PDB file of all heavy atoms in Angstrom:
ATOM      1  N   PRO A 238     -21.367  26.690  -2.706  1.00 90.00           N
ATOM      2  CA  PRO A 238     -20.388  27.508  -2.049  1.00 90.00           C
ATOM      3  C   PRO A 238     -20.079  27.114  -0.643  1.00 90.00           C
ATOM      4  O   PRO A 238     -18.904  27.056  -0.081  1.00 90.00           O
ATOM      5  CB  PRO A 238     -21.057  28.892  -1.954  1.00 90.00           C
ATOM      6  CG  PRO A 238     -22.100  28.870  -3.101  1.00 90.00           C
ATOM      7  CD  PRO A 238     -22.474  27.494  -3.180  1.00 90.00           C
ATOM      8  N   ILE A 239     -21.072  26.584   0.076  1.00 91.00           N
ATOM      9  CA  ILE A 239     -20.818  25.999   1.485  1.00 91.00           C
ATOM     10  C   ILE A 239     -19.920  24.832   1.387  1.00 91.00           C
ATOM     11  O   ILE A 239     -19.011  24.716   2.224  1.00 91.00           O
ATOM     12  CB  ILE A 239     -22.143  25.705   2.143  1.00 91.00           C
ATOM     13  CG1 ILE A 239     -22.997  26.948   2.242  1.00 91.00           C
ATOM     14  CG2 ILE A 239     -22.002  25.015   3.478  1.00 91.00           C
ATOM     15  CD1 ILE A 239     -24.465  26.691   2.721  1.00 91.00           C
ATOM     16  N   ILE A 240     -20.251  23.937   0.464  1.00 90.00           N
ATOM     17  CA  ILE A 240     -19.381  22.722   0.282  1.00 90.00           C
ATOM     18  C   ILE A 240     -17.951  23.036  -0.111  1.00 90.00           C
ATOM     19  O   ILE A 240     -16.977  22.483   0.419  1.00 90.00           O
ATOM     20  CB  ILE A 240     -20.017  21.818  -0.689  1.00 90.00           C
ATOM     21  CG1 ILE A 240     -21.307  21.266  -0.086  1.00 90.00           C
ATOM     22  CG2 ILE A 240     -18.980  20.745  -1.115  1.00 90.00           C
ATOM     23  CD1 ILE A 240     -22.073  20.343  -1.016  1.00 90.00           C
ATOM     24  N   LEU A 241     -17.756  24.070  -0.938  1.00 92.00           N
ATOM     25  CA  LEU A 241     -16.428  24.486  -1.348  1.00 92.00           C
ATOM     26  C   LEU A 241     -15.658  25.028  -0.126  1.00 92.00           C
ATOM     27  O   LEU A 241     -14.396  24.778   0.006  1.00 92.00           O
ATOM     28  CB  LEU A 241     -16.454  25.519  -2.454  1.00 92.00           C
ATOM     29  CG  LEU A 241     -16.892  24.909  -3.885  1.00 92.00           C
ATOM     30  CD1 LEU A 241     -17.043  25.968  -4.811  1.00 92.00           C
ATOM     31  CD2 LEU A 241     -15.935  23.899  -4.260  1.00 92.00           C
ATOM     32  N   VAL A 242     -16.343  25.864   0.702  1.00 93.00           N
ATOM     33  CA  VAL A 242     -15.631  26.303   1.915  1.00 93.00           C
ATOM     34  C   VAL A 242     -15.244  25.219   2.809  1.00 93.00           C
ATOM     35  O   VAL A 242     -14.143  25.140   3.392  1.00 93.00           O
ATOM     36  CB  VAL A 242     -16.566  27.357   2.589  1.00 93.00           C
ATOM     37  CG1 VAL A 242     -15.964  27.756   3.962  1.00 93.00           C
ATOM     38  CG2 VAL A 242     -16.587  28.615   1.730  1.00 93.00           C
ATOM     39  N   LEU A 243     -16.200  24.321   3.047  1.00 92.00           N
ATOM     40  CA  LEU A 243     -15.958  23.171   3.906  1.00 92.00           C
ATOM     41  C   LEU A 243     -14.817  22.279   3.404  1.00 92.00           C
ATOM     42  O   LEU A 243     -13.943  21.766   4.137  1.00 92.00           O
ATOM     43  CB  LEU A 243     -17.182  22.346   4.144  1.00 92.00           C
ATOM     44  CG  LEU A 243     -18.217  22.871   5.030  1.00 92.00           C
ATOM     45  CD1 LEU A 243     -19.466  22.089   5.131  1.00 92.00           C
ATOM     46  CD2 LEU A 243     -17.680  23.209   6.482  1.00 92.00           C
ATOM     47  N   VAL A 244     -14.771  22.084   2.006  1.00 93.00           N
ATOM     48  CA  VAL A 244     -13.673  21.296   1.435  1.00 93.00           C
ATOM     49  C   VAL A 244     -12.323  21.989   1.579  1.00 93.00           C
ATOM     50  O   VAL A 244     -11.327  21.319   2.037  1.00 93.00           O
ATOM     51  CB  VAL A 244     -14.059  21.008  -0.066  1.00 93.00           C
ATOM     52  CG1 VAL A 244     -12.753  20.545  -0.735  1.00 93.00           C
ATOM     53  CG2 VAL A 244     -15.143  20.054  -0.161  1.00 93.00           C
ATOM     54  N   PHE A 245     -12.336  23.277   1.499  1.00 95.00           N
ATOM     55  CA  PHE A 245     -11.085  24.128   1.742  1.00 95.00           C
ATOM     56  C   PHE A 245     -10.615  23.829   3.166  1.00 95.00           C
ATOM     57  O   PHE A 245      -9.412  23.651   3.448  1.00 95.00           O
ATOM     58  CB  PHE A 245     -11.272  25.498   1.404  1.00 95.00           C
ATOM     59  CG  PHE A 245     -10.048  26.340   1.478  1.00 95.00           C
ATOM     60  CD1 PHE A 245      -9.002  26.257   0.585  1.00 95.00           C
ATOM     61  CD2 PHE A 245      -9.952  27.239   2.580  1.00 95.00           C
ATOM     62  CE1 PHE A 245      -7.907  26.989   0.790  1.00 95.00           C
ATOM     63  CE2 PHE A 245      -8.834  28.033   2.685  1.00 95.00           C
ATOM     64  CZ  PHE A 245      -7.765  27.901   1.798  1.00 95.00           C
ATOM     65  N   ILE A 246     -11.599  24.017   4.036  1.00 94.00           N
ATOM     66  CA  ILE A 246     -11.207  23.865   5.484  1.00 94.00           C
ATOM     67  C   ILE A 246     -10.723  22.380   5.808  1.00 94.00           C
ATOM     68  O   ILE A 246      -9.745  22.111   6.529  1.00 94.00           O
ATOM     69  CB  ILE A 246     -12.442  24.266   6.429  1.00 94.00           C
ATOM     70  CG1 ILE A 246     -12.696  25.722   6.355  1.00 94.00           C
ATOM     71  CG2 ILE A 246     -12.140  23.837   7.886  1.00 94.00           C
ATOM     72  CD1 ILE A 246     -13.980  26.182   7.062  1.00 94.00           C
ATOM     73  N   TRP A 247     -11.430  21.444   5.165  1.00 93.00           N
ATOM     74  CA  TRP A 247     -11.058  19.984   5.362  1.00 93.00           C
ATOM     75  C   TRP A 247      -9.643  19.849   4.859  1.00 93.00           C
ATOM     76  O   TRP A 247      -8.813  19.032   5.534  1.00 93.00           O
ATOM     77  CB  TRP A 247     -12.110  19.185   4.641  1.00 93.00           C
ATOM     78  CG  TRP A 247     -11.698  17.719   4.628  1.00 93.00           C
ATOM     79  CD1 TRP A 247     -11.816  16.868   5.754  1.00 93.00           C
ATOM     80  CD2 TRP A 247     -11.199  16.937   3.552  1.00 93.00           C
ATOM     81  NE1 TRP A 247     -11.417  15.621   5.291  1.00 93.00           N
ATOM     82  CE2 TRP A 247     -11.042  15.676   4.041  1.00 93.00           C
ATOM     83  CE3 TRP A 247     -10.984  17.257   2.250  1.00 93.00           C
ATOM     84  CZ2 TRP A 247     -10.545  14.618   3.282  1.00 93.00           C
ATOM     85  CZ3 TRP A 247     -10.501  16.142   1.434  1.00 93.00           C
ATOM     86  CH2 TRP A 247     -10.231  14.900   1.923  1.00 93.00           C
ATOM     87  N   LEU A 248      -9.253  20.447   3.640  1.00 95.00           N
ATOM     88  CA  LEU A 248      -7.966  20.232   3.138  1.00 95.00           C
ATOM     89  C   LEU A 248      -6.895  20.814   4.023  1.00 95.00           C
ATOM     90  O   LEU A 248      -5.811  20.253   4.213  1.00 95.00           O
ATOM     91  CB  LEU A 248      -7.787  20.825   1.713  1.00 95.00           C
ATOM     92  CG  LEU A 248      -8.477  20.081   0.626  1.00 95.00           C
ATOM     93  CD1 LEU A 248      -8.476  20.875  -0.637  1.00 95.00           C
ATOM     94  CD2 LEU A 248      -7.813  18.712   0.387  1.00 95.00           C
ATOM     95  N   ILE A 249      -7.116  21.906   4.668  1.00 95.00           N
ATOM     96  CA  ILE A 249      -6.203  22.579   5.596  1.00 95.00           C
ATOM     97  C   ILE A 249      -6.010  21.683   6.732  1.00 95.00           C
ATOM     98  O   ILE A 249      -4.965  21.333   7.281  1.00 95.00           O
ATOM     99  CB  ILE A 249      -6.680  23.978   6.023  1.00 95.00           C
ATOM    100  CG1 ILE A 249      -6.567  24.938   4.817  1.00 95.00           C
ATOM    101  CG2 ILE A 249      -5.895  24.505   7.192  1.00 95.00           C
ATOM    102  CD1 ILE A 249      -7.149  26.271   4.991  1.00 95.00           C
ATOM    103  N   VAL A 250      -7.191  21.133   7.393  1.00 94.00           N
ATOM    104  CA  VAL A 250      -7.084  20.357   8.549  1.00 94.00           C
ATOM    105  C   VAL A 250      -6.357  19.020   8.286  1.00 94.00           C
ATOM    106  O   VAL A 250      -5.533  18.592   9.006  1.00 94.00           O
ATOM    107  CB  VAL A 250      -8.518  19.975   9.179  1.00 94.00           C
ATOM    108  CG1 VAL A 250      -8.513  18.843  10.169  1.00 94.00           C
ATOM    109  CG2 VAL A 250      -9.081  21.224   9.681  1.00 94.00           C
ATOM    110  N   LYS A 251      -6.658  18.410   7.124  1.00 94.00           N
ATOM    111  CA  LYS A 251      -5.968  17.195   6.708  1.00 94.00           C
ATOM    112  C   LYS A 251      -4.447  17.389   6.558  1.00 94.00           C
ATOM    113  O   LYS A 251      -3.735  16.563   6.966  1.00 94.00           O
ATOM    114  CB  LYS A 251      -6.552  16.703   5.320  1.00 94.00           C
ATOM    115  CG  LYS A 251      -6.124  15.320   4.988  1.00 94.00           C
ATOM    116  CD  LYS A 251      -6.930  14.754   3.845  1.00 94.00           C
ATOM    117  CE  LYS A 251      -6.569  13.417   3.558  1.00 94.00           C
ATOM    118  NZ  LYS A 251      -6.749  12.395   4.548  1.00 94.00           N
ATOM    119  N   THR A 252      -4.043  18.551   5.999  1.00 95.00           N
ATOM    120  CA  THR A 252      -2.628  18.844   5.830  1.00 95.00           C
ATOM    121  C   THR A 252      -2.019  18.927   7.174  1.00 95.00           C
ATOM    122  O   THR A 252      -0.917  18.423   7.423  1.00 95.00           O
ATOM    123  CB  THR A 252      -2.408  20.050   5.001  1.00 95.00           C
ATOM    124  OG1 THR A 252      -3.033  19.898   3.719  1.00 95.00           O
ATOM    125  CG2 THR A 252      -1.019  20.359   4.727  1.00 95.00           C
ATOM    126  N   LEU A 253      -2.654  19.778   8.104  1.00 94.00           N
ATOM    127  CA  LEU A 253      -2.069  19.990   9.363  1.00 94.00           C
ATOM    128  C   LEU A 253      -1.996  18.614  10.188  1.00 94.00           C
ATOM    129  O   LEU A 253      -0.982  18.415  10.845  1.00 94.00           O
ATOM    130  CB  LEU A 253      -2.890  20.953  10.171  1.00 94.00           C
ATOM    131  CG  LEU A 253      -2.785  22.452   9.661  1.00 94.00           C
ATOM    132  CD1 LEU A 253      -3.803  23.354  10.454  1.00 94.00           C
ATOM    133  CD2 LEU A 253      -1.303  22.967   9.801  1.00 94.00           C
ATOM    134  N   VAL A 254      -2.998  17.772  10.055  1.00 94.00           N
ATOM    135  CA  VAL A 254      -2.936  16.449  10.816  1.00 94.00           C
ATOM    136  C   VAL A 254      -1.906  15.654  10.319  1.00 94.00           C
ATOM    137  O   VAL A 254      -1.095  14.998  11.071  1.00 94.00           O
ATOM    138  CB  VAL A 254      -4.344  15.876  10.780  1.00 94.00           C
ATOM    139  CG1 VAL A 254      -4.299  14.424  11.316  1.00 94.00           C
ATOM    140  CG2 VAL A 254      -5.361  16.515  11.647  1.00 94.00           C
ATOM    141  N   SER A 255      -1.709  15.612   9.009  1.00 93.00           N
ATOM    142  CA  SER A 255      -0.675  14.777   8.345  1.00 93.00           C
ATOM    143  C   SER A 255       0.704  15.215   8.818  1.00 93.00           C
ATOM    144  O   SER A 255       1.603  14.438   9.109  1.00 93.00           O
ATOM    145  CB  SER A 255      -0.772  14.803   6.865  1.00 93.00           C
ATOM    146  OG  SER A 255      -1.944  14.224   6.430  1.00 93.00           O
ATOM    147  N   LEU A 256       0.874  16.507   8.850  1.00 94.00           N
ATOM    148  CA  LEU A 256       2.197  17.107   9.314  1.00 94.00           C
ATOM    149  C   LEU A 256       2.460  16.780  10.691  1.00 94.00           C
ATOM    150  O   LEU A 256       3.520  16.292  11.169  1.00 94.00           O
ATOM    151  CB  LEU A 256       2.302  18.632   9.039  1.00 94.00           C
ATOM    152  CG  LEU A 256       2.555  19.036   7.577  1.00 94.00           C
ATOM    153  CD1 LEU A 256       2.365  20.544   7.476  1.00 94.00           C
ATOM    154  CD2 LEU A 256       3.803  18.618   7.123  1.00 94.00           C
ATOM    155  N   TYR A 257       1.381  16.891  11.512  1.00 92.00           N
ATOM    156  CA  TYR A 257       1.563  16.620  12.973  1.00 92.00           C
ATOM    157  C   TYR A 257       1.774  15.111  13.272  1.00 92.00           C
ATOM    158  O   TYR A 257       2.495  14.767  14.185  1.00 92.00           O
ATOM    159  CB  TYR A 257       0.235  17.093  13.697  1.00 92.00           C
ATOM    160  CG  TYR A 257       0.287  16.936  15.217  1.00 92.00           C
ATOM    161  CD1 TYR A 257       1.104  17.811  15.875  1.00 92.00           C
ATOM    162  CD2 TYR A 257      -0.319  15.999  15.923  1.00 92.00           C
ATOM    163  CE1 TYR A 257       1.192  17.846  17.227  1.00 92.00           C
ATOM    164  CE2 TYR A 257      -0.230  15.889  17.291  1.00 92.00           C
ATOM    165  CZ  TYR A 257       0.535  16.845  17.937  1.00 92.00           C
ATOM    166  OH  TYR A 257       0.717  16.747  19.350  1.00 92.00           O
ATOM    167  N   GLU A 258       1.236  14.213  12.387  1.00 91.00           N
ATOM    168  CA  GLU A 258       1.442  12.776  12.549  1.00 91.00           C
ATOM    169  C   GLU A 258       2.930  12.448  12.355  1.00 91.00           C
ATOM    170  O   GLU A 258       3.483  11.822  13.083  1.00 91.00           O
ATOM    171  CB  GLU A 258       0.634  11.979  11.517  1.00 91.00           C
ATOM    172  CG  GLU A 258      -0.815  11.905  11.817  1.00 91.00           C
ATOM    173  CD  GLU A 258      -1.620  11.228  10.674  1.00 91.00           C
ATOM    174  OE1 GLU A 258      -0.961  10.922   9.616  1.00 91.00           O
ATOM    175  OE2 GLU A 258      -2.760  10.989  10.873  1.00 91.00           O
ATOM    176  N   VAL A 259       3.577  13.051  11.348  1.00 93.00           N
ATOM    177  CA  VAL A 259       4.923  12.885  11.060  1.00 93.00           C
ATOM    178  C   VAL A 259       5.865  13.352  12.150  1.00 93.00           C
ATOM    179  O   VAL A 259       6.624  12.654  12.742  1.00 93.00           O
ATOM    180  CB  VAL A 259       5.351  13.502   9.621  1.00 93.00           C
ATOM    181  CG1 VAL A 259       6.885  13.339   9.539  1.00 93.00           C
ATOM    182  CG2 VAL A 259       4.564  12.709   8.514  1.00 93.00           C
ATOM    183  N   VAL A 260       5.615  14.581  12.554  1.00 91.00           N
ATOM    184  CA  VAL A 260       6.336  15.281  13.674  1.00 91.00           C
ATOM    185  C   VAL A 260       6.128  14.433  14.948  1.00 91.00           C
ATOM    186  O   VAL A 260       7.036  14.262  15.669  1.00 91.00           O
ATOM    187  CB  VAL A 260       5.965  16.731  13.835  1.00 91.00           C
ATOM    188  CG1 VAL A 260       6.599  17.345  14.953  1.00 91.00           C
ATOM    189  CG2 VAL A 260       6.415  17.512  12.493  1.00 91.00           C
ATOM    190  N   HIS A 261       4.871  14.095  15.209  1.00 90.00           N
ATOM    191  CA  HIS A 261       4.601  13.394  16.524  1.00 90.00           C
ATOM    192  C   HIS A 261       5.362  12.080  16.531  1.00 90.00           C
ATOM    193  O   HIS A 261       5.930  11.717  17.606  1.00 90.00           O
ATOM    194  CB  HIS A 261       3.139  13.165  16.586  1.00 90.00           C
ATOM    195  CG  HIS A 261       2.724  12.407  17.815  1.00 90.00           C
ATOM    196  ND1 HIS A 261       2.634  11.044  17.925  1.00 90.00           N
ATOM    197  CD2 HIS A 261       2.522  12.822  19.126  1.00 90.00           C
ATOM    198  CE1 HIS A 261       2.253  10.721  19.097  1.00 90.00           C
ATOM    199  NE2 HIS A 261       2.182  11.776  19.932  1.00 90.00           N
ATOM    200  N   GLY A 262       5.416  11.336  15.428  1.00 90.00           N
ATOM    201  CA  GLY A 262       6.117  10.070  15.368  1.00 90.00           C
ATOM    202  C   GLY A 262       7.607  10.252  15.624  1.00 90.00           C
ATOM    203  O   GLY A 262       8.162   9.482  16.361  1.00 90.00           O
ATOM    204  N   ILE A 263       8.187  11.273  14.999  1.00 92.00           N
ATOM    205  CA  ILE A 263       9.660  11.496  15.199  1.00 92.00           C
ATOM    206  C   ILE A 263       9.964  11.922  16.677  1.00 92.00           C
ATOM    207  O   ILE A 263      10.846  11.419  17.230  1.00 92.00           O
ATOM    208  CB  ILE A 263      10.191  12.522  14.108  1.00 92.00           C
ATOM    209  CG1 ILE A 263      10.059  11.822  12.750  1.00 92.00           C
ATOM    210  CG2 ILE A 263      11.652  12.878  14.514  1.00 92.00           C
ATOM    211  CD1 ILE A 263      10.297  12.858  11.641  1.00 92.00           C
ATOM    212  N   VAL A 264       9.194  12.883  17.071  1.00 88.00           N
ATOM    213  CA  VAL A 264       9.437  13.496  18.370  1.00 88.00           C
ATOM    214  C   VAL A 264       9.121  12.375  19.475  1.00 88.00           C
ATOM    215  O   VAL A 264       9.978  12.238  20.538  1.00 88.00           O
ATOM    216  CB  VAL A 264       8.625  14.740  18.645  1.00 88.00           C
ATOM    217  CG1 VAL A 264       8.636  15.173  20.149  1.00 88.00           C
ATOM    218  CG2 VAL A 264       9.078  15.837  17.800  1.00 88.00           C
ATOM    219  N   TYR A 265       8.110  11.644  19.326  1.00 88.00           N
ATOM    220  CA  TYR A 265       7.832  10.644  20.379  1.00 88.00           C
ATOM    221  C   TYR A 265       8.873   9.565  20.408  1.00 88.00           C
ATOM    222  O   TYR A 265       9.200   8.935  21.441  1.00 88.00           O
ATOM    223  CB  TYR A 265       6.342  10.010  20.128  1.00 88.00           C
ATOM    224  CG  TYR A 265       5.756   9.477  21.365  1.00 88.00           C
ATOM    225  CD1 TYR A 265       5.555  10.326  22.466  1.00 88.00           C
ATOM    226  CD2 TYR A 265       5.604   8.083  21.506  1.00 88.00           C
ATOM    227  CE1 TYR A 265       4.943   9.802  23.646  1.00 88.00           C
ATOM    228  CE2 TYR A 265       5.048   7.653  22.707  1.00 88.00           C
ATOM    229  CZ  TYR A 265       4.786   8.469  23.744  1.00 88.00           C
ATOM    230  OH  TYR A 265       4.217   7.951  24.823  1.00 88.00           O
ATOM    231  N   LEU A 266       9.535   9.215  19.182  1.00 91.00           N
ATOM    232  CA  LEU A 266      10.664   8.270  19.279  1.00 91.00           C
ATOM    233  C   LEU A 266      11.712   8.787  20.097  1.00 91.00           C
ATOM    234  O   LEU A 266      12.295   8.064  20.956  1.00 91.00           O
ATOM    235  CB  LEU A 266      11.099   8.084  17.836  1.00 91.00           C
ATOM    236  CG  LEU A 266      12.347   7.204  17.658  1.00 91.00           C
ATOM    237  CD1 LEU A 266      11.982   5.760  17.984  1.00 91.00           C
ATOM    238  CD2 LEU A 266      12.840   7.329  16.184  1.00 91.00           C
ATOM    239  N   PHE A 267      12.051  10.063  20.000  1.00 89.00           N
ATOM    240  CA  PHE A 267      13.205  10.629  20.779  1.00 89.00           C
ATOM    241  C   PHE A 267      12.790  10.704  22.258  1.00 89.00           C
ATOM    242  O   PHE A 267      13.514  10.523  23.192  1.00 89.00           O
ATOM    243  CB  PHE A 267      13.504  12.153  20.286  1.00 89.00           C
ATOM    244  CG  PHE A 267      14.297  12.049  19.094  1.00 89.00           C
ATOM    245  CD1 PHE A 267      13.837  12.719  17.990  1.00 89.00           C
ATOM    246  CD2 PHE A 267      15.561  11.402  19.054  1.00 89.00           C
ATOM    247  CE1 PHE A 267      14.645  12.721  16.752  1.00 89.00           C
ATOM    248  CE2 PHE A 267      16.281  11.441  17.979  1.00 89.00           C
ATOM    249  CZ  PHE A 267      15.804  11.996  16.752  1.00 89.00           C
ATOM    250  N   VAL A 268      11.436  10.923  22.483  1.00 85.00           N
ATOM    251  CA  VAL A 268      10.935  10.978  23.941  1.00 85.00           C
ATOM    252  C   VAL A 268      11.201   9.612  24.567  1.00 85.00           C
ATOM    253  O   VAL A 268      11.536   9.500  25.708  1.00 85.00           O
ATOM    254  CB  VAL A 268       9.478  11.332  23.993  1.00 85.00           C
ATOM    255  CG1 VAL A 268       8.838  11.097  25.343  1.00 85.00           C
ATOM    256  CG2 VAL A 268       9.378  12.888  23.667  1.00 85.00           C
ATOM    257  N   ILE A 269      10.867   8.588  23.817  1.00 89.00           N
ATOM    258  CA  ILE A 269      10.988   7.154  24.416  1.00 89.00           C
ATOM    259  C   ILE A 269      12.528   6.994  24.615  1.00 89.00           C
ATOM    260  O   ILE A 269      12.910   6.360  25.681  1.00 89.00           O
ATOM    261  CB  ILE A 269      10.401   6.184  23.423  1.00 89.00           C
ATOM    262  CG1 ILE A 269       8.895   6.299  23.443  1.00 89.00           C
ATOM    263  CG2 ILE A 269      10.823   4.777  23.787  1.00 89.00           C
ATOM    264  CD1 ILE A 269       8.208   5.451  22.477  1.00 89.00           C
ATOM    265  N   ILE A 270      13.329   7.242  23.731  1.00 90.00           N
ATOM    266  CA  ILE A 270      14.818   7.056  23.881  1.00 90.00           C
ATOM    267  C   ILE A 270      15.257   7.843  25.045  1.00 90.00           C
ATOM    268  O   ILE A 270      16.077   7.320  25.803  1.00 90.00           O
ATOM    269  CB  ILE A 270      15.546   7.540  22.539  1.00 90.00           C
ATOM    270  CG1 ILE A 270      15.202   6.497  21.370  1.00 90.00           C
ATOM    271  CG2 ILE A 270      17.057   7.553  22.801  1.00 90.00           C
ATOM    272  CD1 ILE A 270      15.681   6.966  20.088  1.00 90.00           C
TER     273      ILE A 270
END
């Protein structure tokens, strides 16, 4: 059960980091421009 909770939290964090990577790349491109 502890591992399942940690895996669920890890999936949420991984999804948020992946979304933030995409948004950060696009926004930072505009910041440089």
Side-chain angles (χ1 to χ4, degrees):
I239 296 170
I240 290 176
L241 289 176
V242 169
L243 286 175
V244 165
F245 183 71
I246 293 171
W247 175 73
L248 286 173
I249 291 172
V250 169
K251 186 166 185 64
T252 304
L253 289 175
V254 168
S255 296
L256 286 172
Y257 188 73
E258 286 174 355
V259 172
V260 172
H261 181 266
I263 293 169
V264 170
Y265 205 64
L266 174 69
F267 286 119
V268 165
I269 291 173
I270 291 170

